[in-house]
């Protein structure tokens, strides 16, 4: 994603109604991804945790929106301070921004850029929630989101995309969030689950998804919304780069889904709907940083490699004993790392920038830069997220009581259940029985099982 650039007054852009409208649509598509993620995760958990899983994503829309307006946008995209963080008083409360004021170097208003980036900030902590299914207090989760976006997401977004951010200045390529979103969320998920521990029954109970149709619906909506997430990250349509990103998003996602299913068939003997949905998400994750740097053929390679790697990675939790409930580490961390590093091999130097990967004559230079970005974000998010979880766990507590986890977190935390089965079977209804032929007796009402 290109940050603001400085232009000469004579070359200063003017507001483009087409680009502004396009970016508002893309912002709405990215917003849709958070409830889509809620469906995706919600279908993957057991019935007794469905509502809690939906709410863990949905609450991010409320919390992060307010924080973004108050200070988040300023921290992430304000004037650089030491290449680590930003700050602009005009961005605090979005109070000093003119209605037609343009984002520096672009043809869209600052307000449009701010709301587009807001949707990224909303989605990222929601991604973490899938690793924590079934066992986290909702109040603690809401407080964790508040702290995490403040000390992790906002600074990392500035490193990667903010003018003056140290990873941006280094030349790390991250078109739409491989480091700032997916590695960031995946590493945070790993840090938290190492602190809070495993679910009751981990490795013993099957813990199967309760609604695979809901999973497929969520995956389909994520795929749809991801076009806004990726193609919109070039902030306009004036040079065709966004169009390439759109194509590469579709291509890599298809390749990853097929690769995951192929691996699954060879390894386990079946093509599963959960595998198809997970493979598609893995491809979306991997192409997010790389799609503006590679060709469509490169996108096939990125997607296929990520599909296989992520399919392999989801089983690591059983080998190493960490309970990543819905495979956030296996898909988002591994997929984000793969997509970010593969730029160092497949970047053509002819789309987003002139940086070339190893296979296009660029040597190891870009790969080295990508590795620095990957491991800097991974380490920072992992460590700080674990510290936040530890502090919350030792103060207000992160986990629900064991009995509440076993009986169902929905009823305990939300006083609701996802499905009402009280009217399904076991009821009764009345019907009239007509008099026998040749009689004048009035009809009688008899109870009949429904």
């Amino acid at each position: 994603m290109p940050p603001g650039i400085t232009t000469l007054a004579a070359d200063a852009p003017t507001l483009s109604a087409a680009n502004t409208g396009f970016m508002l649509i893309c912002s709405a598509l990215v917003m849709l991804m958070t409830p889509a993620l809620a469906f995706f995760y919600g279908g993957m958990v057991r019935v007794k945790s469905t509502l809690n899983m939906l709410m863990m994503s949905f609450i991010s829309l409320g919390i992060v929106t307010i924080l973004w307006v108050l200070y988040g946008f300023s921290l992430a995209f304000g004037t650089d301070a030491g290449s680590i963080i930003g700050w602009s008083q005009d961005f605090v409360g979005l109070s000093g921004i003119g209605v037609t004021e343009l984002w520096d170097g672009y043809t869209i208003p600052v307000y449009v850029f701010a709301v587009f980036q807001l949707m990224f900030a909303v989605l990222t902590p929601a991604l973490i929630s899938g690793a924590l299914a079934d066992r986290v207090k909702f109040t603690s989760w809401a407080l964790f989101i508040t702290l995490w976006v403040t000390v992790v997401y906002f600074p990392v977004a500035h490193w990667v995309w903010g003018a003056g951010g140290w990873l941006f200045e280094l030349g790390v390529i991250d078109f739409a969030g491989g480091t700032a979103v997916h590695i960031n969320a995946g590493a945070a998920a790993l840090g938290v689950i190492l602190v809070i521990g495993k679910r009751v029954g981990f490795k013993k109970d099957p813990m199967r998804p309760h609604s695979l149709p809901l999973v497929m619906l969520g995956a389909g909506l994520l795929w749809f919304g991801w076009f806004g997430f990726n193609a919109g990250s070039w902030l306009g349509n004036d040079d065709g780069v966004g169009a390439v990103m759109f194509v590469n998003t579709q291509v890599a996602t298809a390749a990853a889904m097929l690769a995951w299913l192929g691996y699954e068939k060879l390894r386990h003997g079946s093509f599963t709907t959960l595998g198809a949905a997970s493979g598609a998400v893995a491809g979306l994750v991997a192409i997010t940083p790389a799609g503006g740097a590679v060709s469509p053929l490169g996108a096939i390679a990125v997607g296929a490699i990520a599909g296989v790697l992520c399919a392999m990675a989801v089983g690591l939790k059983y080998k190493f004993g960490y309970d990543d409930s819905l495979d956030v580490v296996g898909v988002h961390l591994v997929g984000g790392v793969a997509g970010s590093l593969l730029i160092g091999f497949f970047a053509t130097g002819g789309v987003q920038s002139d940086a070339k990967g190893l296979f296009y004559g660029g040597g190891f230079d870009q790969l080295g830069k990508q590795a620095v970005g990957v491991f800097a974000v991974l380490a920072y998010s992992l460590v700080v997220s674990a510290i936040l979880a530890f502090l919350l766990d030792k103060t207000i507590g992160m986990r629900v009581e064991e009995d509440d986890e076993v009986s169902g977190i929905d009823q305990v935390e939300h006083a609701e259940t996802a499905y009402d089965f009280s009217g399904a079977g076991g009821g009764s209804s009345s019907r009239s029985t007509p008099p026998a032929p040749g009689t004048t007796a009035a009809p009688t009402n008899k109870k009949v099982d429904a």
Side-chain angles (χ1 to χ4, degrees):
M1 179 177 300
I5 56 177
T6 302
T7 57
L8 299 175
D11 300 323
T14 58
L15 191 149
S16 165
N19 284 340
T20 297
F22 170 72
M23 290 305 302
L24 288 173
I25 292 171
C26 287
S27 300
L29 287 171
V30 182
M31 180 270 166
L32 177 67
M33 291 172 67
T34 298
L37 181 74
F39 288 140
F40 180 69
Y41 283 166
M44 290 175 69
V45 296
R46 292 167 288 179
V47 170
K48 63 183 181 180
S49 303
T50 306
L51 290 181
N52 181 254
M53 199 71 261
L54 295 174
M55 281 291 287
M56 288 180 79
S57 288
F58 214 76
I59 194 63
S60 187
L61 281 162
I63 294 171
V64 180
T65 296
I66 301 304
L67 298 181
W68 188 254
V69 170
L70 294 178
Y71 58 82
F73 183 53
S74 183
L75 290 174
F77 291 100
T79 302
D80 177 68
S83 299
I84 299 297
I85 200 67
W87 187 259
S88 293
Q89 191 62 38
D90 287 347
F91 292 170
V92 175
L94 303 184
S95 57
I97 302 170
V99 175
T100 59
E101 181 182 344
L102 299 183
W103 184 242
D104 193 16
Y106 293 89
T107 59
I108 60 173
V110 175
Y111 273 115
V112 174
F113 179 75
V115 77
F116 181 67
Q117 277 293 323
L118 162 63
M119 302 312 173
F120 281 67
V122 166
L123 177 66
T124 306
L127 293 172
I128 302 169
S129 67
L132 317 179
D134 299 328
R135 59 201 190 275
V136 174
K137 294 179 182 177
F138 190 68
T139 301
S140 299
W141 170 245
L143 185 54
F144 176 82
I145 289 178
T146 302
L147 297 172
W148 188 84
V149 294
T150 301
V151 300
V152 179
Y153 182 80
F154 298 156
V156 169
H158 184 76
W159 298 357
V160 175
W161 294 319
W166 74 276
L167 291 179
F168 176 79
E169 295 298 326
L170 180 65
V172 174
I173 294 175
D174 187 352
F175 195 98
T179 54
V181 175
H182 298 290
I183 293 174
N184 204 2
L190 181 58
V192 176
I193 58 182
L194 291 176
V195 171
I196 68 171
K198 308 173 185 67
R199 288 169 292 176
V200 176
F202 177 65
K203 288 189 179 181
K204 298 177 182 178
D205 299 336
M207 300 184 183
R208 297 188 184 95
H210 89 280
S211 177
L212 288 169
L214 200 60
V215 173
M216 295 296 280
L217 172 64
L221 289 173
L222 280 170
W223 194 333
F224 176 67
W226 224 291
F227 290 116
F229 191 83
N230 281 358
S233 289
W234 200 242
L235 308 184
N237 283 313
D238 297 326
D239 56 8
V241 175
V244 173
M245 185 57 166
F246 193 108
V247 171
N248 284 344
T249 298
Q250 177 69 15
V251 169
T253 307
M257 179 178 67
L258 296 176
W260 186 302
L261 288 172
Y263 173 85
E264 192 175 55
K265 178 65 174 177
L266 292 173
R267 183 72 175 81
H268 304 292
S270 301
F271 302 112
T272 68
T273 52
L274 183 59
S278 299
V281 173
L284 291 164
V285 169
I287 202 61
T288 291
V294 304
S295 68
L297 289 177
I300 292 176
V302 169
I305 292 169
V308 172
L309 288 178
C310 292
M312 296 170 64
V314 296
L316 294 178
K317 62 185 179 183
Y318 300 110
K319 181 177 181 180
F320 294 110
Y322 62 88
D323 187 7
D324 175 17
S325 306
L326 307 183
D327 302 319
V328 178
V329 176
V331 173
H332 292 277
L333 178 57
V334 173
V337 169
S340 297
L341 292 180
L342 288 172
I343 294 171
F345 294 93
F346 293 105
T348 65
V351 188
Q352 175 183 356
S353 70
D354 59 4
K356 294 182 179 181
L358 181 63
F359 297 158
Y360 288 82
F364 290 95
D365 182 60
Q366 191 60 43
L367 179 60
K369 294 176 181 179
Q370 296 303 121
V372 170
V374 163
F375 293 108
V377 172
L378 193 161
Y380 179 75
S381 184
L382 175 68
V383 172
V384 176
S385 302
I387 292 171
L388 292 176
F390 178 81
L391 293 175
L392 288 172
D393 194 47
K394 295 303 180 184
T395 52
I396 63 173
M398 283 286 284
R399 292 191 62 147
V400 297
E401 297 294 330
E402 183 175 324
D403 289 346
D404 293 335
E405 181 182 334
V406 172
S407 63
I409 196 169
D410 283 359
Q411 190 65 53
V412 173
E413 292 292 304
H414 308 290
E416 298 171 308
T417 56
Y419 306 101
D420 181 4
F421 297 109
S422 62
S428 63
S429 62
S430 298
R431 76 178 180 204
S432 294
T433 303
T439 70
T440 58
T444 61
N445 290 330
K446 297 178 67 178
K447 286 279 189 179
V448 184
D449 288 341

